[in-house]
Amino acid sequence: MKPQNDISNLRKDYLKSSLLENEVDADPILQFKKWWQAAKDSDIEEPNAMTLATCSNGKPSARIVLLKGIKEDGFLFYTNYDSRKGKEIESNTFVSLVFFWKELERQVRIEGVAEKTPLEESDGYFAYRPRQSQIGAWSSPQSEVINSRKILEKNVVYYNNKFNTENIPRPKNWGGYIIRPNLIEFWQGRPGRLHDRLQYTIDEQKKWKIERLAP
């Protein structure tokens, strides 16, 4: 029976590339950097946008955050530690990330453990942020219920006056996380929904194994 709604009728065939075992790096972080560079070179808007999924008390939640660094052992982002995601990470450090670069017909899934970055790293990044973003970090009680936007606007005025003539310090409840991966999957769209999926998993000796998954 032919679907009658517009959503079911949406179709796209993926034709741009392939992903073969003999073409990828043995280290998934290096392979990610190759795909990351390709995403940047393709003029994708905000290629660093990623879905962060957390879970607390058996209930998952997800939101978009921005990647702010790639290290040899993980992926960096910054947030309010008192936010919902911060509290959920505090109770369960296992998280998942997803990048989707539709222009390249590519997706990357990452599973790993979140750890707070050292204070000096968070200080350094916060000092680099635009002043407006620094004031925003002080002004927003992230994830809390507020009566109206006027609360935020009043806070912005207050903190702009408070830090009028000095460098703005980092709030103690704001900082970075590094996601140390134990699984990274690279997905490349292919015709007929027979997509390429290569999964990297790490063993106790910190060595990566590559396996192909059925689409």
Side-chain angles (χ1 to χ4, degrees), residues 13-52:
D13 218 2
Y14 300 107
L15 305 169
K16 291 189 175 181
S17 190
S18 62
L19 182 64
L20 303 177
E21 287 85 343
N22 62 357
E23 297 174 344
V24 298
D25 199 285
D27 185 330
I29 301 293
L30 296 180
Q31 180 62 34
F32 180 89
K33 287 181 177 180
K34 291 178 182 179
W35 274 25
W36 166 252
Q37 189 61 49
K40 287 176 56 182
D41 293 344
S42 298
D43 294 324
I44 294 173
E45 187 173 355
E46 291 195 304
N48 58 332
M50 59 186 185
T51 300
L52 167 68

Side-chain angles (χ1 to χ4, degrees), residues 198-211:
L198 295 184
Q199 175 181 273
Y200 292 72
T201 52
I202 196 167
D203 61 22
E204 294 180 355
Q205 285 72 44
K206 304 299 182 182
K207 293 183 179 180
W208 290 99
K209 176 175 66 173
I210 303 175
E211 297 173 301

